[in-house]
Amino acid sequence: MIATAKPKQGRKGLKVLAIDPGFSNLGITVAIADEADYHEVIQTILFSDTLSLGSQKTYRQFHKRLIPALDTLWENYGPFDVMTAEEPTLIRGKSVISCYLWYVYGMIRAWIQTKGVNPEDLRANTPMQLKDVARLLMRRHMKMRPNGNTPNKGEIADLLVALGVPTARSSHENDATLSIIAALGQRVA
C-alpha cells in the first residue's frame, strides 16, 4: 500500500478514485490529479492498494469484499471529483474470465450509483487506450519504445517512476494509476 503526502504547490487538483478491475484481484488508487498534459496529471497519490476478491470458485462472494472496501475508501477520501476504471474487454478463448471481469465492473458501477453518482459519469478506459497512453509517454519521456507492440507490466512501472509517480506493489495498482493519467491527461504538443 502506498500513501504519500502533500499535493504539488499552487494547484488545487481533483480527488480521483481509479479502479483496475481484475478477475480476482483489483487495483485501487486514490489521487489528487489535474486535467493537464499527460506527464503532469498526478499531483500526489493518497492511497494505492491491491484488493483480493477471492477465486473463480467464490465469485458469488466477491461483493462481500469489494463493496465494504469501496465504502471505506468513500468514508476516508470521498466524495470524489472523478471516478475512472479500466473497462473490461472480451478475451478471446477465455469467455468465462471475461464474464467475471464484467461482473466485477458491473458491481463497481452499481456501487457508484449507491453514492448518488450517475454510473455514466464513470470515465472508462479500454485496455488499448491505457497502452496507447503508456506508449506515447514512453516515447516522449523515456525516449524508448516498449518491447513489442504494447508496454509490459515492468515497462509501465518504469514509466510511472520516470513521471515521478510512486509505483505500487502490483501491476493492478499501476494500471489504476495509469487510468487516472488516461482519463485526465491531455496531449500537449
Side-chain angles (χ1 to χ4, degrees), residues 44-181:
T44 191
I45 303 288
L46 300 174
F47 175 87
S48 181
D49 203 2
T50 301
L51 176 64
S52 176
L53 299 177
S55 69
Q56 185 173 355
K57 293 178 182 176
T58 62
Y59 78 93
R60 289 187 175 130
Q61 306 301 315
F62 282 5
H63 68 281
K64 291 182 179 178
R65 297 197 74 181
L66 178 60
I67 301 306
L70 293 175
D71 284 341
T72 299
L73 283 172
W74 187 271
E75 291 167 15
N76 293 338
Y77 300 102
F80 299 100
D81 300 307
V82 176
M83 289 185 266
T84 182
E86 182 177 347
E87 186 176 78
T89 60
L90 297 175
I91 303 168
R92 185 179 302 152
K94 298 187 178 189
S95 58
V96 172
I97 291 175
S98 296
C99 288
Y100 290 138
L101 290 171
W102 280 100
Y103 175 66
V104 171
Y105 186 70
M107 283 191 287
I108 293 165
R109 289 178 59 92
W111 173 81
I112 288 170
Q113 193 166 9
T114 67
K115 298 304 175 192
V117 177
N118 183 344
E120 297 304 314
D121 291 338
L122 177 69
R123 296 190 188 184
N125 298 293
T126 66
M128 194 49 67
Q129 287 171 317
L130 295 180
K131 301 296 185 190
D132 288 345
V133 167
R135 212 176 3 257
L136 170 82
L137 289 170
M138 286 178 74
R139 277 190 235 115
R140 188 192 296 170
H141 297 286
M142 297 172 67
K143 306 295 186 222
M144 64 178 280
R145 294 184 179 271
N147 293 331
N149 191 31
T150 59
N152 63 37
K153 296 173 184 185
E155 290 169 333
I156 289 174
D158 292 344
L159 170 63
L160 293 175
V161 168
L163 295 175
V165 177
T167 59
R169 64 185 174 97
S170 81
S171 62
H172 290 294
E173 292 172 56
N174 288 338
D175 283 352
T177 302
L178 188 59
S179 185
I180 295 171
I181 294 170

